[in-house]
DNA sequence: AATACGTGGAT
DNA sequence: TATCCAAGTAT
């Protein structure tokens, strides 16, 4: 890489890349203005998430929380609901906390220094570079998976991009080649190129605006890069869940712990169970944890829910609550209407859907 | 450094 | 069907 960087035509590369971006960039909703708040929200939504998935969420979020101030003063329940289904929910809890911090400490203006902006919750090296370059035009590297793939090919970098520290190698490369005239377009163009042309698997090198600058293409090795080790198989967990109703027709729901998996989202009461006596274990759990005395019927559904790092095998029971339950902040009896107002993870939306279907069929 | 943290689309 | 993955961050 070292000898190659010396003969690398930096200015020609910048020109070829940025001119291509000016021609070919997609019309995306967060590219309509450079409000740092909007750029920030889009970057958080886009973390580990596809553009096509983000677009409708971004529109809805901006309608509901059009300004940093409006998000800062919103109830967390509403904020989580706006994120429902997007995944990695700590992103939005961190964003909410960070926006409050900006309102309090910086008078509502998103900091324009890496030093200050990167201290905010949920703001890491990528988001720092993305917001500072795109919203403020500062020459900071914004290295995501696209950029690592593109640059690993252009400079024939064979470091394992699955390792977190490898990102620094690419940040250093970007610092050497970034356009100081237009850091925003430079960074976005690198990512756009990774998304449209320099894709995983079989890149469209014949359409690539920087083909002439690419060392991997010159050596016919573009499909060998980037190097990325794969992760081990995920763990499977057996879960028993309960959709139980009191005599007034209200459903029992529970708010999950404030940290960890699906933090602060609502769920139907459930616990991890063994293969032997899941129904018995669930009944005992409901009594012990929630003081709920319930009679469960036979399970009406079984579903598999796959996360990035584990699999839930869920068996779902319905049943009746006998006697009274003491409601708390995290334990509620709600109508079917109220369920629609609260944020549930997709796994529990599926449980609810199965339940409705079961009832419809006369269960 | 390695792992936790979601979801749905692509191949 | 299986695997990979998509604009990462926190711990």
């Amino acid at each position: 890489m070292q000898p190659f960087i010396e003969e690398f035509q930096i200015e020609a590369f910048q020109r070829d890349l940025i001119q291509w971006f000016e021609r070919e960039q997609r019309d995306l909703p967060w590219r309509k203005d450079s409000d740092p708040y909007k750029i920030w929200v889009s970057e958080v939504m886009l973390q580990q998430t596809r553009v096509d998935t983000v677009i409708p969420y971004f529109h809805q979020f901006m309608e509901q929380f059009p300004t940093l101030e409006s998000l800062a003063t919103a109830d967390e329940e509403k904020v989580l609901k706006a994120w429902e289904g997007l995944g990695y929910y700590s992103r939005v809890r961190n964003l909410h906390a960070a926006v409050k911090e900006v309102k309090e400490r910086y008078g509502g203006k998103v900091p324009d220094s890496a030093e200050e902006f990167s201290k905010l919750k949920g703001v890491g090296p990528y988001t720092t570079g993305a917001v500072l370059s795109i919203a403020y035009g500062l020459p900071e590297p914004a290295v995501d998976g696209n950029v690592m793939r593109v640059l690993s090919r252009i400079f024939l970098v064979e470091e394992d991009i699955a390792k977190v520290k490898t990102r620094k190698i690419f940040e250093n490369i970007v610092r050497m080649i970034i356009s100081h005239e237009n850091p925003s377009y430079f960074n976005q163009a690198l990512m756009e190129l990774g998304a449209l042309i320099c894709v995983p698997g079989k890149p469209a090198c014949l359409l690539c605006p920087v083909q002439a600058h690419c060392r991997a293409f010159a050596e016919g090795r573009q499909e060998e890069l980037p190097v990325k080790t794969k992760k081990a198989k995920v763990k499977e967990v057996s879960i028993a869940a309960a959709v139980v109703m009191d005599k007034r027709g209200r459903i029992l729901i529970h708010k999950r712990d404030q940290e960890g998996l699906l933090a602060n989202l609502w769920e139907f009461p459930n616990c991890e169970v063994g293969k032997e006596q899941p129904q018995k274990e669930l009944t005992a759990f409901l009594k012990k944890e929630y003081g709920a005395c319930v009679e469960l019927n036979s399970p009406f559904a079984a579903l598999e829910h796959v996360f990035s790092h584990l699999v839930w095998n869920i068996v779902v029971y319905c049943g009746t609550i006998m006697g009274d339950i003491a409601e708390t902040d995290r334990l509620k009896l709600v109508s079917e209407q109220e369920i629609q107002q609260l944020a549930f993870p997709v796994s529990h939306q599926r449980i609810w859907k199965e339940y409705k279907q079961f009832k419809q069929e006369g269960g």
Side-chain angles (χ1 to χ4, degrees):
Chain A
M1 203 275 284
Q2 244 6 63
F4 186 69
I5 191 83
E6 288 167 21
E7 63 195 65
F8 187 73
Q9 302 293 310
I10 293 179
E11 274 144 35
F13 175 80
Q14 293 170 347
R15 187 192 62 233
D16 293 342
L17 180 66
I18 288 173
Q19 285 181 356
W20 170 81
F21 182 70
E22 288 172 336
R23 266 196 335 268
E24 303 290 343
Q25 65 167 296
R26 290 167 292 180
D27 182 18
L28 300 174
W30 45 88
R31 288 180 176 163
K32 295 197 178 301
D33 70 63
S34 59
D35 177 352
Y37 164 69
K38 294 180 186 173
I39 304 296
W40 184 8
V41 170
S42 74
E43 292 301 342
V44 174
M45 285 186 170
L46 286 161
Q47 290 168 10
Q48 299 292 286
T49 310
R50 286 187 159 72
V51 165
D52 289 343
T53 302
V54 167
I55 289 172
Y57 281 90
F58 182 80
H59 283 305
Q60 187 267 358
F61 201 91
M62 282 309 150
E63 199 164 306
Q64 195 173 358
F65 310 112
T67 63
L68 186 145
E69 166 79 17
S70 67
L71 180 58
T73 55
D75 290 339
E76 184 183 73
E77 195 65 54
K78 303 280 190 187
V79 174
L80 280 173
K81 183 67 182 177
W83 207 266
E84 183 184 54
L86 247 194
Y88 286 152
Y89 300 94
S90 68
R91 288 184 293 176
V92 79
R93 291 186 302 107
N94 286 151
L95 175 64
H96 196 203
V99 151
K100 290 179 179 180
E101 175 85 359
V102 170
K103 173 177 155 65
E104 297 308 315
R105 183 191 295 265
Y106 301 108
K109 182 183 187 300
V110 177
D112 60 1
S113 78
E115 164 89 20
E116 293 183 309
F117 185 63
S118 64
K119 283 181 184 159
L120 296 166
K121 282 190 182 173
V123 177
Y126 166 75
T127 306
T128 299
V131 171
L132 290 192
S133 65
I134 298 171
Y136 290 122
L138 298 174
E140 293 289 327
V143 175
D144 69 341
N146 289 126
V147 172
M148 290 196 284
R149 182 172 58 255
V150 169
L151 295 180
S152 73
R153 287 168 174 163
I154 290 175
F155 293 104
L156 222 55
V157 177
E158 307 194 59
E159 242 69 28
D160 181 2
I161 67 165
K163 296 189 186 302
V164 178
K165 76 172 196 180
T166 301
R167 192 200 65 249
K168 289 179 189 281
I169 295 172
F170 294 101
E171 285 176 348
N172 290 333
I173 294 176
V174 172
R175 288 189 190 284
M176 292 190 285
I177 65 174
I178 191 170
S179 163
H180 285 245
E181 191 180 318
N182 197 344
S184 168
Y185 272 24
F186 183 89
N187 280 340
Q188 291 186 76
L190 232 31
M191 293 188 274
E192 194 81 340
L193 189 66
L196 300 181
I197 305 285
C198 195
V199 295
K202 296 189 183 305
C205 299
L206 298 184
L207 300 175
C208 182
V210 294
Q211 182 199 95
H213 306 275
C214 184
R215 188 167 166 193
F217 179 78
E219 301 191 9
R221 296 181 54 196
Q222 61 272 20
E223 289 179 28
E224 301 171 20
L225 295 165
V227 174
K228 186 178 187 180
T229 56
K230 17 207 146 232
K231 45 186 157 187
K233 213 172 64 175
V234 301
K235 184 174 69 173
E236 294 201 27
V237 178
S238 291
I239 300 284
V243 181
V244 290
M245 200 179 273
D246 70 2
K247 63 189 69 170
R248 293 202 274 158
R250 299 175 304 177
I251 308 288
L252 183 63
I253 61 172
H254 171 251
K255 195 181 178 85
R256 294 177 60 88
D257 191 83
Q258 59 181 296
E259 53 186 35
L261 183 65
L262 307 172
N264 280 358
L265 297 190
W266 291 91
E267 66 181 0
F268 298 103
N270 67 90
C271 64
E272 188 172 345
V273 294
K275 298 291 180 191
E276 311 302 318
Q277 305 275 341
Q279 183 163 347
K280 206 168 224 174
E281 290 177 52
L282 179 57
T283 304
F285 173 85
L286 292 171
K287 182 65 184 172
K288 183 159 187 290
E289 295 301 316
Y290 305 143
C293 186
V294 303
E295 283 183 0
L296 298 177
N297 304 320
S298 300
F300 64 87
L303 44 90
E304 178 189 73
H305 189 81
V306 180
F307 296 90
S308 51
H309 62 302
L310 63 90
V311 176
W312 277 353
N313 291 306
I314 312 171
V315 179
V316 195
Y317 298 83
C318 61
T320 309
I321 299 168
M322 315 304 284
D324 294 318
I325 287 177
E327 294 185 61
T328 68
D329 275 1
R330 291 185 176 269
L331 192 67
K332 285 193 186 307
L333 288 160
V334 296
S335 67
E336 298 192 7
Q337 282 286 319
E338 290 172 280
I339 284 179
Q340 307 306 317
Q341 315 303 317
L342 303 173
F344 286 74
V346 170
S347 49
H348 285 259
Q349 292 173 36
R350 289 189 176 148
I351 289 172
W352 183 241
K353 188 176 170 187
E354 291 286 344
Y355 176 77
K356 298 287 284 181
Q357 197 173 325
F358 173 67
K359 284 299 175 190
Q360 188 122 33
E361 291 165 1

